[in-house]
Amino acid sequence: MISAQTTEADLWIDGEWRPAASGERFDVIDPATGEVTARVANAGEDDVDAAVAIAEEAFSDRRWLAISPLERGRILRRIAELIRQHHCELAQLMTRENGMPINLALFIEIPLAADCFDFFASLVVKPQGEVLPFSVAGSAPDYMAWTMKEPIGVAGLITPWNFPLLMPTWKIAPALAAGCTMVVKPAPETPLTALKLAEICHEAGVPEGVINVLPGLDEAGKALVRHPRVPKIAFTGETETGRHILQAAAPHIKRVTLELGGKSPNIIFADADLEQAAKSALFGVFYNSGQVCQAGSRILVERPVYETFVELLASKAKKLKVGPGTDARSDLGPVISREQYEKVLRYIDIGKQEGAKLVAGGSALDGLGGGYFIEPTVFADVSPSMCIAREEIFGPVAAVIPFQDEEEAASIANDTIYGFDIKRALRLARRVKSGTVWINTYQVLSPTAPFGGYKQSGLGRELGMQALEAYLETKTVICDMNDRPMTLF
């Protein structure tokens, strides 16, 4: 059983704990201390084969689909209830392996995850076909034609470390609602929360073998993607990894959903309430220490208020408290790992070398117990061509860019490989090539609203009805009702 004190964990296959076939384990590091906090079974290709076989059997014998849609909806609602009941334990787990502030876990991630299961519980009865008008070669013989919605089968779900509960939820909930079985590969940095979620799903009534969770390093993810009996892959993570997944999935023509990186623009016009705009921008870029694909890390500000806004944002950034996630006073926790810590510091150095003006932060915080802490950092006078304005940093670094007018704002906003007066806002919303556009707010999400990106930010959508469709196939049935079937011979 997974708890906030767990120091060793195995794989979750067929409703039970199993060691990895190799016997190997890997270390989970607490980013607030840099020390090992748990050792977890390291799934390999043999474990993927075993888990896929179990999931395939569970799909074939219809142990999940045979449960009535209303009862499956009740089970998903029970998962939501149990997530809320286990909120303290889940928050402690997430803070321990991810480093996020405990208040972020308690008041944002956990409620959103529970709401997601509630929403998809309401969609269990929604996959419906339709009766079609039908004609053959211009005539209207006595035929009936209709479509049916069917689950795609075994889904391979690969999730990132930045939101250890919410990201698995965004995939597991619609997959369950569609009737799929699944093998989940959580990020090696944050496996414990995903394992706890599997336990919760089992307790709620999801049958054995429907959800299987394989913590592991790269081998498990690669084996899952190329497995010939996994027709669906859903991945959230880096754009480059997404490219490799598409290539590996191509030989089997798998259905693939990708939610990838971003470099989102946060556009502030001169007539904005600057105090409120600064608060929204602060939340948009420093939420979860900037480790968010839709972080508003490019802050575009109209020139008449540019200097005033930069001073305001820098002042607010300097007041943010950085500390361990276990401290309820912390606004920002550490970044996830030593590798990420060094990467973010490298980008800060690049920003300085490129000539951007450092107005807040810019340094590591070494006096906080050996963890991976970095000051909230704000660069001003950033050119759109600078590296810090073009590449996803995935850390607490903001790049503030001036613009002259609406035309230039749209041009700068769209100048990326990634995608992101009310009349003016709506005009710009149409012009900005981004999967989500927030107006007068930032980082607000709901399970009812589809989420995803344009261009190299991904394929398909998480959340909303579109997420359910990603796990369904459409079957067309055509029935000849004529006394003498039509034939050419």
mmCIF file of all heavy atoms in Angstrom, residues 289-318:
data_model
loop_
_atom_site.group_PDB
_atom_site.id
_atom_site.type_symbol
_atom_site.label_atom_id
_atom_site.label_comp_id
_atom_site.label_asym_id
_atom_site.label_seq_id
_atom_site.Cartn_x
_atom_site.Cartn_y
_atom_site.Cartn_z
ATOM 1 N N SER A 289 6.642 26.677 -10.026
ATOM 2 C CA SER A 289 8.027 27.038 -10.342
ATOM 3 C C SER A 289 8.285 27.116 -11.846
ATOM 4 O O SER A 289 9.392 26.844 -12.320
ATOM 5 C CB SER A 289 9.013 26.052 -9.686
ATOM 6 O OG SER A 289 8.900 26.096 -8.285
ATOM 7 N N GLY A 290 7.240 27.484 -12.600
ATOM 8 C CA GLY A 290 7.389 27.638 -14.042
ATOM 9 C C GLY A 290 7.422 26.337 -14.810
ATOM 10 O O GLY A 290 7.632 26.336 -16.026
ATOM 11 N N GLN A 291 7.187 25.222 -14.121
ATOM 12 C CA GLN A 291 7.258 23.900 -14.763
ATOM 13 C C GLN A 291 5.878 23.503 -15.295
ATOM 14 O O GLN A 291 5.264 22.538 -14.855
ATOM 15 C CB GLN A 291 7.795 22.881 -13.760
ATOM 16 C CG GLN A 291 9.203 23.231 -13.291
ATOM 17 C CD GLN A 291 9.657 22.379 -12.116
ATOM 18 O OE1 GLN A 291 10.714 21.756 -12.160
ATOM 19 N NE2 GLN A 291 8.882 22.356 -11.056
ATOM 20 N N VAL A 292 5.423 24.281 -16.263
ATOM 21 C CA VAL A 292 4.085 24.139 -16.829
ATOM 22 C C VAL A 292 4.198 24.385 -18.332
ATOM 23 O O VAL A 292 4.802 25.379 -18.751
ATOM 24 C CB VAL A 292 3.101 25.168 -16.212
ATOM 25 C CG1 VAL A 292 1.686 24.913 -16.694
ATOM 26 C CG2 VAL A 292 3.156 25.147 -14.689
ATOM 27 N N CYS A 293 3.598 23.503 -19.140
ATOM 28 C CA CYS A 293 3.758 23.650 -20.598
ATOM 29 C C CYS A 293 3.136 24.943 -21.108
ATOM 30 O O CYS A 293 3.608 25.521 -22.081
ATOM 31 C CB CYS A 293 3.166 22.449 -21.320
ATOM 32 S SG CYS A 293 1.381 22.284 -21.163
ATOM 33 N N GLN A 294 2.056 25.414 -20.437
ATOM 34 C CA GLN A 294 1.396 26.639 -20.887
ATOM 35 C C GLN A 294 1.823 27.871 -20.093
ATOM 36 O O GLN A 294 1.150 28.898 -20.119
ATOM 37 C CB GLN A 294 -0.129 26.487 -20.829
ATOM 38 C CG GLN A 294 -0.746 26.553 -19.439
ATOM 39 C CD GLN A 294 -0.847 25.202 -18.770
ATOM 40 O OE1 GLN A 294 -0.166 24.270 -19.161
ATOM 41 N NE2 GLN A 294 -1.696 25.073 -17.761
ATOM 42 N N ALA A 295 2.950 27.778 -19.395
ATOM 43 C CA ALA A 295 3.436 28.929 -18.627
ATOM 44 C C ALA A 295 3.551 30.157 -19.527
ATOM 45 O O ALA A 295 4.085 30.086 -20.629
ATOM 46 C CB ALA A 295 4.792 28.617 -17.995
ATOM 47 N N GLY A 296 3.064 31.281 -19.031
ATOM 48 C CA GLY A 296 3.133 32.528 -19.800
ATOM 49 C C GLY A 296 4.495 33.165 -19.658
ATOM 50 O O GLY A 296 4.638 34.260 -19.100
ATOM 51 N N SER A 297 5.493 32.495 -20.193
ATOM 52 C CA SER A 297 6.884 32.911 -19.958
ATOM 53 C C SER A 297 7.336 34.045 -20.873
ATOM 54 O O SER A 297 8.361 34.672 -20.622
ATOM 55 C CB SER A 297 7.817 31.708 -20.113
ATOM 56 O OG SER A 297 7.614 31.089 -21.362
ATOM 57 N N ARG A 298 6.579 34.298 -21.956
ATOM 58 C CA ARG A 298 6.838 35.482 -22.789
ATOM 59 C C ARG A 298 5.770 36.513 -22.455
ATOM 60 O O ARG A 298 4.598 36.353 -22.819
ATOM 61 C CB ARG A 298 6.766 35.126 -24.277
ATOM 62 C CG ARG A 298 7.896 34.251 -24.774
ATOM 63 C CD ARG A 298 7.845 34.127 -26.287
ATOM 64 N NE ARG A 298 6.610 33.506 -26.751
ATOM 65 C CZ ARG A 298 6.050 33.750 -27.934
ATOM 66 N NH1 ARG A 298 6.588 34.640 -28.764
ATOM 67 N NH2 ARG A 298 4.946 33.129 -28.292
ATOM 68 N N ILE A 299 6.146 37.563 -21.759
ATOM 69 C CA ILE A 299 5.193 38.592 -21.343
ATOM 70 C C ILE A 299 5.355 39.789 -22.271
ATOM 71 O O ILE A 299 6.361 40.499 -22.221
ATOM 72 C CB ILE A 299 5.407 38.984 -19.874
ATOM 73 C CG1 ILE A 299 5.324 37.727 -18.991
ATOM 74 C CG2 ILE A 299 4.379 40.022 -19.434
ATOM 75 C CD1 ILE A 299 5.682 37.966 -17.533
ATOM 76 N N LEU A 300 4.383 39.985 -23.136
ATOM 77 C CA LEU A 300 4.409 41.064 -24.130
ATOM 78 C C LEU A 300 3.641 42.264 -23.574
ATOM 79 O O LEU A 300 2.479 42.134 -23.198
ATOM 80 C CB LEU A 300 3.776 40.603 -25.436
ATOM 81 C CG LEU A 300 4.607 39.724 -26.390
ATOM 82 C CD1 LEU A 300 5.164 38.490 -25.694
ATOM 83 C CD2 LEU A 300 3.768 39.321 -27.596
ATOM 84 N N VAL A 301 4.304 43.419 -23.511
ATOM 85 C CA VAL A 301 3.707 44.595 -22.874
ATOM 86 C C VAL A 301 3.751 45.774 -23.845
ATOM 87 O O VAL A 301 4.801 46.074 -24.439
ATOM 88 C CB VAL A 301 4.446 44.958 -21.573
ATOM 89 C CG1 VAL A 301 3.749 46.130 -20.872
ATOM 90 C CG2 VAL A 301 4.534 43.748 -20.640
ATOM 91 N N GLU A 302 2.613 46.463 -23.988
ATOM 92 C CA GLU A 302 2.534 47.622 -24.882
ATOM 93 C C GLU A 302 3.440 48.743 -24.363
ATOM 94 O O GLU A 302 3.490 49.017 -23.162
ATOM 95 C CB GLU A 302 1.086 48.098 -24.992
ATOM 96 C CG GLU A 302 0.827 48.947 -26.213
ATOM 97 C CD GLU A 302 -0.647 49.161 -26.473
ATOM 98 O OE1 GLU A 302 -1.489 48.838 -25.607
ATOM 99 O OE2 GLU A 302 -0.969 49.657 -27.565
ATOM 100 N N ARG A 303 4.127 49.416 -25.270
ATOM 101 C CA ARG A 303 5.202 50.340 -24.900
ATOM 102 C C ARG A 303 4.801 51.473 -23.935
ATOM 103 O O ARG A 303 5.585 51.804 -23.041
ATOM 104 C CB ARG A 303 5.839 50.929 -26.156
ATOM 105 C CG ARG A 303 6.738 49.933 -26.874
ATOM 106 C CD ARG A 303 7.592 50.587 -27.942
ATOM 107 N NE ARG A 303 8.416 49.596 -28.634
ATOM 108 C CZ ARG A 303 9.589 49.148 -28.196
ATOM 109 N NH1 ARG A 303 10.070 49.610 -27.055
ATOM 110 N NH2 ARG A 303 10.260 48.245 -28.880
ATOM 111 N N PRO A 304 3.611 52.074 -24.060
ATOM 112 C CA PRO A 304 3.296 53.187 -23.149
ATOM 113 C C PRO A 304 3.330 52.812 -21.668
ATOM 114 O O PRO A 304 3.571 53.684 -20.826
ATOM 115 C CB PRO A 304 1.880 53.598 -23.574
ATOM 116 C CG PRO A 304 1.800 53.207 -25.020
ATOM 117 C CD PRO A 304 2.585 51.939 -25.118
ATOM 118 N N VAL A 305 3.114 51.548 -21.336
ATOM 119 C CA VAL A 305 3.120 51.141 -19.916
ATOM 120 C C VAL A 305 4.239 50.153 -19.622
ATOM 121 O O VAL A 305 4.297 49.575 -18.536
ATOM 122 C CB VAL A 305 1.761 50.526 -19.521
ATOM 123 C CG1 VAL A 305 0.652 51.559 -19.621
ATOM 124 C CG2 VAL A 305 1.436 49.288 -20.352
ATOM 125 N N TYR A 306 5.131 49.980 -20.572
ATOM 126 C CA TYR A 306 6.152 48.945 -20.449
ATOM 127 C C TYR A 306 7.027 49.125 -19.200
ATOM 128 O O TYR A 306 7.167 48.194 -18.384
ATOM 129 C CB TYR A 306 7.028 48.918 -21.709
ATOM 130 C CG TYR A 306 8.160 47.926 -21.647
ATOM 131 C CD1 TYR A 306 7.925 46.575 -21.847
ATOM 132 C CD2 TYR A 306 9.464 48.347 -21.392
ATOM 133 C CE1 TYR A 306 8.965 45.660 -21.788
ATOM 134 C CE2 TYR A 306 10.508 47.431 -21.330
ATOM 135 C CZ TYR A 306 10.258 46.088 -21.525
ATOM 136 O OH TYR A 306 11.281 45.183 -21.451
ATOM 137 N N GLU A 307 7.622 50.296 -19.028
ATOM 138 C CA GLU A 307 8.534 50.512 -17.900
ATOM 139 C C GLU A 307 7.800 50.345 -16.567
ATOM 140 O O GLU A 307 8.318 49.732 -15.623
ATOM 141 C CB GLU A 307 9.162 51.909 -17.983
ATOM 142 C CG GLU A 307 10.024 52.130 -19.215
ATOM 143 C CD GLU A 307 11.262 51.229 -19.232
ATOM 144 O OE1 GLU A 307 11.650 50.731 -18.145
ATOM 145 O OE2 GLU A 307 11.825 51.022 -20.329
ATOM 146 N N THR A 308 6.589 50.900 -16.483
ATOM 147 C CA THR A 308 5.808 50.793 -15.243
ATOM 148 C C THR A 308 5.506 49.335 -14.926
ATOM 149 O O THR A 308 5.632 48.894 -13.771
ATOM 150 C CB THR A 308 4.486 51.580 -15.367
ATOM 151 O OG1 THR A 308 4.781 52.936 -15.669
ATOM 152 C CG2 THR A 308 3.666 51.495 -14.099
ATOM 153 N N PHE A 309 5.125 48.590 -15.938
ATOM 154 C CA PHE A 309 4.785 47.192 -15.709
ATOM 155 C C PHE A 309 6.008 46.385 -15.288
ATOM 156 O O PHE A 309 5.922 45.533 -14.388
ATOM 157 C CB PHE A 309 4.160 46.573 -16.959
ATOM 158 C CG PHE A 309 3.775 45.136 -16.763
ATOM 159 C CD1 PHE A 309 2.552 44.817 -16.206
ATOM 160 C CD2 PHE A 309 4.651 44.110 -17.097
ATOM 161 C CE1 PHE A 309 2.203 43.485 -15.987
ATOM 162 C CE2 PHE A 309 4.316 42.788 -16.876
ATOM 163 C CZ PHE A 309 3.085 42.473 -16.328
ATOM 164 N N VAL A 310 7.137 46.612 -15.934
ATOM 165 C CA VAL A 310 8.355 45.868 -15.584
ATOM 166 C C VAL A 310 8.711 46.093 -14.114
ATOM 167 O O VAL A 310 9.033 45.149 -13.381
ATOM 168 C CB VAL A 310 9.524 46.281 -16.504
ATOM 169 C CG1 VAL A 310 10.854 45.775 -15.946
ATOM 170 C CG2 VAL A 310 9.313 45.736 -17.915
ATOM 171 N N GLU A 311 8.637 47.339 -13.666
ATOM 172 C CA GLU A 311 8.932 47.633 -12.251
ATOM 173 C C GLU A 311 7.955 46.915 -11.321
ATOM 174 O O GLU A 311 8.348 46.363 -10.292
ATOM 175 C CB GLU A 311 8.869 49.146 -12.008
ATOM 176 C CG GLU A 311 9.992 49.936 -12.662
ATOM 177 C CD GLU A 311 9.850 51.436 -12.432
ATOM 178 O OE1 GLU A 311 9.013 51.821 -11.587
ATOM 179 O OE2 GLU A 311 10.571 52.211 -13.099
ATOM 180 N N LEU A 312 6.701 46.922 -11.693
ATOM 181 C CA LEU A 312 5.670 46.282 -10.881
ATOM 182 C C LEU A 312 5.889 44.776 -10.804
ATOM 183 O O LEU A 312 5.827 44.163 -9.724
ATOM 184 C CB LEU A 312 4.306 46.601 -11.487
ATOM 185 C CG LEU A 312 3.050 46.331 -10.654
ATOM 186 C CD1 LEU A 312 3.099 47.068 -9.326
ATOM 187 C CD2 LEU A 312 1.815 46.751 -11.451
ATOM 188 N N LEU A 313 6.145 44.150 -11.948
ATOM 189 C CA LEU A 313 6.352 42.701 -11.981
ATOM 190 C C LEU A 313 7.604 42.303 -11.207
ATOM 191 O O LEU A 313 7.582 41.338 -10.426
ATOM 192 C CB LEU A 313 6.467 42.230 -13.430
ATOM 193 C CG LEU A 313 6.576 40.711 -13.618
ATOM 194 C CD1 LEU A 313 5.273 40.020 -13.246
ATOM 195 C CD2 LEU A 313 6.962 40.374 -15.069
ATOM 196 N N ALA A 314 8.688 43.051 -11.405
ATOM 197 C CA ALA A 314 9.933 42.747 -10.701
ATOM 198 C C ALA A 314 9.752 42.875 -9.192
ATOM 199 O O ALA A 314 10.225 42.028 -8.415
ATOM 200 C CB ALA A 314 11.055 43.672 -11.180
ATOM 201 N N SER A 315 9.056 43.899 -8.770
ATOM 202 C CA SER A 315 8.803 44.101 -7.341
ATOM 203 C C SER A 315 8.032 42.934 -6.750
ATOM 204 O O SER A 315 8.350 42.445 -5.653
ATOM 205 C CB SER A 315 8.035 45.410 -7.141
ATOM 206 O OG SER A 315 7.629 45.555 -5.799
ATOM 207 N N LYS A 316 7.022 42.481 -7.449
ATOM 208 C CA LYS A 316 6.208 41.364 -6.950
ATOM 209 C C LYS A 316 7.002 40.054 -6.957
ATOM 210 O O LYS A 316 6.869 39.228 -6.044
ATOM 211 C CB LYS A 316 4.934 41.218 -7.784
ATOM 212 C CG LYS A 316 3.934 42.354 -7.587
ATOM 213 C CD LYS A 316 2.657 42.114 -8.366
ATOM 214 C CE LYS A 316 1.675 43.265 -8.168
ATOM 215 N NZ LYS A 316 1.265 43.419 -6.766
ATOM 216 N N ALA A 317 7.820 39.840 -7.983
ATOM 217 C CA ALA A 317 8.614 38.620 -8.059
ATOM 218 C C ALA A 317 9.591 38.524 -6.892
ATOM 219 O O ALA A 317 9.806 37.439 -6.330
ATOM 220 C CB ALA A 317 9.371 38.571 -9.384
ATOM 221 N N LYS A 318 10.166 39.664 -6.502
ATOM 222 C CA LYS A 318 11.131 39.663 -5.387
ATOM 223 C C LYS A 318 10.485 39.326 -4.050
ATOM 224 O O LYS A 318 11.160 38.915 -3.114
ATOM 225 C CB LYS A 318 11.809 41.026 -5.308
ATOM 226 C CG LYS A 318 12.744 41.327 -6.478
ATOM 227 C CD LYS A 318 13.241 42.764 -6.453
ATOM 228 C CE LYS A 318 14.107 43.085 -7.655
ATOM 229 N NZ LYS A 318 14.532 44.515 -7.694
#
